[in-house]
Amino acid sequence: MKLAIVNGLVCDPVAETLTPGGVWIAEGKIVATGSPPPDFTPQRELDARGGVIAPGLIDLSVCLREPGFEAKGTIASETRAAAAGGVTTVCALPETQPVADTPAVIELIRERAEHAARARVVPVGALTCGLGGERLSEMHALGEAGCRAVGNAGRPLANPLVWRRALEYAATYGLTVFVRPQDPWLAAGGCAHEGEVATRLGLPGIPASAETVAVAQILALVADSGARVHFSCLSTARAAAMIGAAATDGLPVSCDVAAHQLHLTEQALEGFDASVHLAPPLRTLADRDGLRRALAEGTVTAVCSDHRPHEEDAKLDVFAATEPGAAGLETLLPLVLALVDEGVLTLPRALARLTMGPAGVLGLEGGRLQPGAPADVIVIDTEARWPIDADHWYSRGRNTPFWGQTLKGKVRYTLVDGRIVHPG
């Protein structure tokens, strides 16, 4: 199909510009931006008047819950939520049942994603068999099955020697290793940031050093192995600074932060709201502001949702006994756009952290609007306000700290390979 998106502001996340114009699409590819190509007659035209035309968002941290945890979400339900949130590519984490540690499970995920046909799904394979932390997975086979990255989903490895061998093995096959940095012994038993608020509420704490110690250990091993490592979902300003310094020194490392960490702090724990039981935990105001600076300066190159949908029962217990995590695919864009209103980022730079930045981590084709690229495109109404409620929510998990609030910035259209997947 030939399709034209016209009358919008076209975002170029590379040049960080917004230019009046449109995007022209044929056979699933972008054929022109700005001005229409000669002799192009679209079969359908989308009016983006008052909106921004941008690349589809790429989310590096998503639990689709299928196979194994369909009570929390399915590939169909969560990729539907992704489309509504403007996310055209999701990196599916290996925390499934069975664990995504074999080509058979990876193929199952890919087949169901293709059947749902709402978003691209890039599986992240398990670093160790069963995420058990001891025996390395068959990374070569996982790569052949379509994985661009492997990770252990925050589960600990037996010891630093296993980590070193895992990084060396991944480097052999050109796979990026996703690391959620948290020392398991320092964090053991904790459910909140170790600080004044947790102490007053009587919640067991996780010190900031649980993250920085883990980062330091992996950086030392990266220097030995040369493996590409992406640190996921940072919560401390100190960890971001350490990774930034390592990258400046030439190590092949990058990092992201979950959108909720850029807004919420440990103060949100007041009232024991289980929706803010998160992993890693919400930290201090100084950490939040430090992560914002790292994002603006480019040390943090991507923002993810760390989407973790839960069934209602998972959050119905005393705070420490509830399951951690928030559903975030549909709030990812408005939370990042809020940083534009607060003067942290320009609009093009904010969109770059959701598109070009994450694409660069895995060498994906998407993340920019240019002729010849896949037509993964969104149209955003940046001024639209919408309530986070059952009438406007697609994920099976409603466990978000922002439930009942009104956020600004809504996706009008989402296209994958030139097909309109939202609305519809």
Side-chain angles (χ1 to χ4, degrees):
M1 170 183 276
K2 290 186 175 180
L3 189 149
I5 308 173
V6 297
N7 300 323
L9 286 173
V10 180
C11 176
D12 181 346
V14 180
E16 296 190 1
T17 58
L18 288 170
T19 308
V23 172
W24 286 264
I25 296 166
E27 298 180 352
K29 302 284 187 182
I30 295 171
V31 295
T33 64
S35 302
D39 303 323
F40 188 95
T41 303
Q43 295 163 279
R44 183 171 179 183
E45 190 171 280
L46 302 180
D47 191 349
R49 194 179 308 275
V52 173
I53 308 169
L57 311 187
I58 298 172
D59 193 335
L60 294 175
S61 184
V62 174
C63 283
L64 292 175
R65 299 304 196 190
E66 186 181 0
F69 301 101
E70 287 79 0
K72 297 176 183 293
T74 64
I75 290 173
S77 69
E78 302 318 294
T79 54
R80 179 70 187 89
V87 177
T88 54
T89 300
V90 301
C91 286
L93 301 180
E95 301 159 77
T96 50
Q97 186 58 44
V99 167
D101 60 0
T102 65
V105 179
I106 299 299
E107 188 60 33
L108 173 70
I109 293 169
R110 289 166 61 92
E111 285 180 0
R112 293 187 181 178
E114 288 174 8
H115 180 73
R118 294 286 189 178
R120 299 179 193 277
V121 173
V122 179
V124 177
L127 190 68
T128 60
C129 294
L131 299 176
E134 296 186 350
R135 192 159 53 92
L136 301 186
S137 63
E138 293 292 339
M139 296 184 207
H140 175 66
L142 293 175
E144 291 289 307
C147 294
R148 288 174 175 261
V150 289
N152 223 49
R155 311 283 179 84
L157 268 62
N159 57 58
L161 181 58
V162 178
W163 261 120
R164 178 171 176 165
R165 288 174 174 162
L167 294 176
E168 290 171 344
Y169 196 28
T172 300
Y173 296 111
L175 294 167
T176 298
V177 179
F178 278 20
V179 174
R180 293 176 70 94
Q182 181 166 274
D183 183 276
W185 292 275
L186 287 171
C191 66
H193 170 66
E194 184 181 272
E196 177 188 338
V197 176
T199 300
R200 188 171 66 255
L201 298 178
L203 297 174
I206 300 173
S209 59
E211 183 166 290
T212 53
V213 164
V215 168
Q217 180 189 63
I218 297 297
L219 288 178
L221 297 173
V222 169
D224 286 349
S225 66
R228 290 198 310 268
V229 167
H230 179 73
F231 292 92
S232 300
C233 301
L234 298 186
S235 66
T236 65
R238 175 63 181 151
M242 292 166 66
I243 296 164
T248 301
D249 288 342
L251 291 187
V253 294
S254 55
C255 59
D256 68 47
V257 61
H260 53 252
Q261 291 281 2
L262 297 166
H263 292 277
L264 303 174
T265 70
E266 59 180 341
Q267 297 298 327
L269 297 174
E270 302 282 4
F272 298 99
D273 180 1
S275 70
V276 294
H277 182 188
L278 303 166
L282 298 171
R283 301 289 186 182
T284 66
L285 181 61
D287 281 311
R288 189 207 68 170
D289 290 347
L291 290 172
R292 286 182 168 196
R293 284 194 298 275
L295 182 70
E297 293 166 359
T299 301
V300 175
T301 56
V303 182
C304 68
S305 69
D306 199 25
H307 180 71
R308 292 175 180 272
H310 284 299
E311 73 279 28
E312 187 177 5
D313 285 352
K315 292 289 188 180
L316 294 178
D317 207 330
V318 295
F319 186 92
T322 58
E323 295 186 50
L329 278 166
E330 292 160 86
T331 55
L332 174 61
L333 178 64
L335 290 180
V336 173
L337 292 180
L339 299 175
V340 177
D341 284 347
E342 294 181 37
V344 178
L345 300 167
T346 64
L347 178 56
R349 183 164 295 184
L351 293 173
R353 299 293 185 260
L354 294 168
T355 56
M356 189 181 66
V361 171
L362 293 179
L364 299 174
E365 282 188 314
R368 59 194 70 192
L369 299 178
Q370 60 186 17
D376 295 356
V377 185
I378 60 175
V379 178
I380 310 164
D381 187 340
T382 57
E383 298 301 315
R385 296 179 183 275
W386 59 288
I388 309 296
D389 60 23
D391 292 335
H392 302 82
W393 196 253
Y394 293 91
S395 172
R396 189 166 289 184
R398 296 178 176 181
N399 49 303
T400 167
F402 306 99
W403 196 259
Q405 297 186 28
T406 296
L407 299 183
K408 182 179 163 188
K410 191 164 183 59
V411 174
R412 196 183 299 172
Y413 298 107
T414 302
L415 287 77
V416 175
D417 275 335
R419 292 181 299 106
I420 300 173
V421 296
H422 176 80

